[in-house]
Amino acid sequence: MAFQPFGPPRLARVNYDRAALRRNDAEWLADAWRKAQVLAISPDVKTPVERGDGALRLLLRDPSTVDDAVPRRLLGVADEVPYFAVTLDEDDGTWANLREVGALADDLPAALVTGAVALEQWHARHPRCPRCGAETREAQAGWTRVCPNDGSEHFPRTDPAVIMLVHDGGDLCLLGRGPQWGERRFSTLAGFVEPGESLEGAVAREVFEEVGIAVTDVRYIASQPWPFPSSLMVGFVARLDGDPSLHLDPKEMAEAHWFTREEVQRAADWADNGEQPDPDARIHGVSPRLSISRFLVDGWLERRW
């Protein structure tokens, strides 16, 4: 039977026009601001929303309600509407974080908030020049910071991380649990790419370091922005190569096991439906649908990889 369209991960479903060539065009930016929809982001990266019927709707602002002194960060253009983000303290109403927005809002709002959160956290963490220590200022509609002392220009940082679904070539997949996770709640393995390392090399290294097994047939599947605070999660599947015995790094992994498709599917169903898991089951939950970890798990359950 042919597979139904699977689509990209949740936070990577919309590629709107980021209008990069307009970021230095003062006249275009001024005109775009006058007809823009403005997304407010608080310093703790929440945005105002309206809740209803199990969904979220962004409460976007008119530019006339925003103080002229507040920096304007151009997110892009979608359906001929310019979108900007501004940093504002939370006021009356309901404010939600990206995890909530990504899970409950439509694709375009989720993508816009993802970009706004990534920019907000980068600006908040990099107020000074790494060369001379002087305070920098925003430029290019919020996409760079410039040092007034030495003239250097600095760009938003993105940290690549690999995340991988490891399987045995049959009906078993490997899931682990870090010390910070609740008991019997498991996820795919993941880790940051080191300097001078390929993505495929990072997959093999992280798997070996965390659970002590070798892998082969490392295949790229998809990627997803994950601005917590600045990661790009690059998703792979990999197949066991040799001995399946696990040898855990106790600092990284509290627990890891090989699970059957049936076990993982039941845990996913329990998590999605809010049902009480079987107390005797080895696995009670997997990552939420917002994450690329769950995207990889769901693809494996459907035998896509």
Side-chain angles (χ1 to χ4, degrees):
M1 183 179 73
F3 288 123
Q4 296 299 311
F6 196 54
R10 180 69 178 90
L11 297 182
R13 290 180 181 173
V14 172
N15 289 317
Y16 57 87
D17 179 7
R18 291 172 174 264
L21 299 180
R22 298 291 194 175
R23 294 172 186 169
N24 277 326
D25 187 335
E27 183 178 350
W28 184 90
L29 289 170
D31 180 65
W33 176 255
R34 286 190 289 270
K35 56 189 178 184
Q37 292 285 290
V38 182
L39 191 158
I41 292 288
S42 68
D44 63 348
V45 290
K46 292 182 179 180
T47 190
V49 299
E50 180 179 67
R51 300 178 187 271
D53 299 324
L56 288 182
R57 183 177 67 86
L58 297 188
L59 292 180
L60 299 169
R61 302 184 180 220
D62 187 275
S64 63
T65 66
V66 180
D67 191 297
D68 288 341
V70 176
R72 308 166 185 177
R73 297 165 187 164
L74 174 66
L75 298 177
V77 179
D79 297 326
E80 300 184 355
V81 177
Y83 290 90
F84 285 78
V86 296
T87 303
L88 297 176
D89 291 328
E90 291 185 31
D91 53 19
D92 294 338
T94 301
W95 292 61
N97 61 30
L98 176 58
R99 293 179 189 272
E100 297 173 284
V101 173
L104 299 174
D106 291 338
D107 291 346
L108 177 60
L112 292 170
V113 175
T114 300
V117 166
L119 279 177
E120 170 60 32
Q121 294 194 108
W122 176 68
H123 283 293
R125 285 169 167 77
H126 297 83
R128 293 185 174 274
C129 176
R131 294 184 178 182
C132 69
E135 289 190 12
T136 54
R137 60 175 177 81
E138 294 190 28
Q140 288 199 41
W143 287 91
T144 66
R145 298 190 70 90
V146 175
C147 177
N149 183 51
D150 62 21
S152 58
E153 189 175 21
H154 308 281
F155 296 85
R157 174 173 174 169
T158 298
D159 302 318
V162 292
I163 184 164
M164 42 277 179
L165 187 289
V166 178
H167 62 89
D168 70 342
D171 286 324
L172 297 177
C173 80
L174 173 65
L175 300 177
R177 178 176 70 83
Q180 71 278 15
W181 278 50
E183 290 190 6
R184 290 192 269 188
R185 181 168 175 250
F186 291 85
S187 178
T188 52
L189 306 185
F192 285 103
V193 180
E194 293 187 343
E197 185 176 44
S198 71
L199 296 172
E200 294 83 357
V203 169
R205 174 184 56 78
E206 284 287 346
V207 172
F208 184 78
E209 289 177 355
E210 292 188 353
V211 296
I213 63 170
V215 295
T216 188
D217 191 22
V218 177
R219 293 189 293 137
Y220 169 76
I221 299 297
S223 65
Q224 174 171 278
W226 197 246
F228 301 106
S230 56
S231 296
L232 174 67
M233 305 301 296
V234 187
F236 291 85
V237 293
R239 179 168 51 84
L240 171 70
D241 185 17
D243 188 353
S245 302
L246 305 179
H247 306 279
L248 308 188
D249 176 353
K251 291 183 179 179
E252 295 287 338
M253 303 300 299
E255 194 176 358
H257 301 287
W258 292 99
F259 294 102
T260 66
R261 275 183 225 274
E262 181 182 6
E263 287 180 297
V264 177
Q265 184 65 69
R266 285 195 303 160
D269 291 341
W270 289 329
D272 293 345
N273 300 328
E275 298 176 0
Q276 189 67 29
D278 180 346
D280 295 327
R282 293 193 302 161
I283 176 172
H284 283 183
V286 293
S287 301
R289 289 194 177 276
L290 176 65
S291 70
I292 191 172
S293 173
R294 180 59 182 275
F295 178 85
L296 295 172
V297 168
D298 285 348
W300 179 76
L301 288 173
E302 296 182 22
R303 301 179 186 272
R304 295 176 182 274
W305 36 79

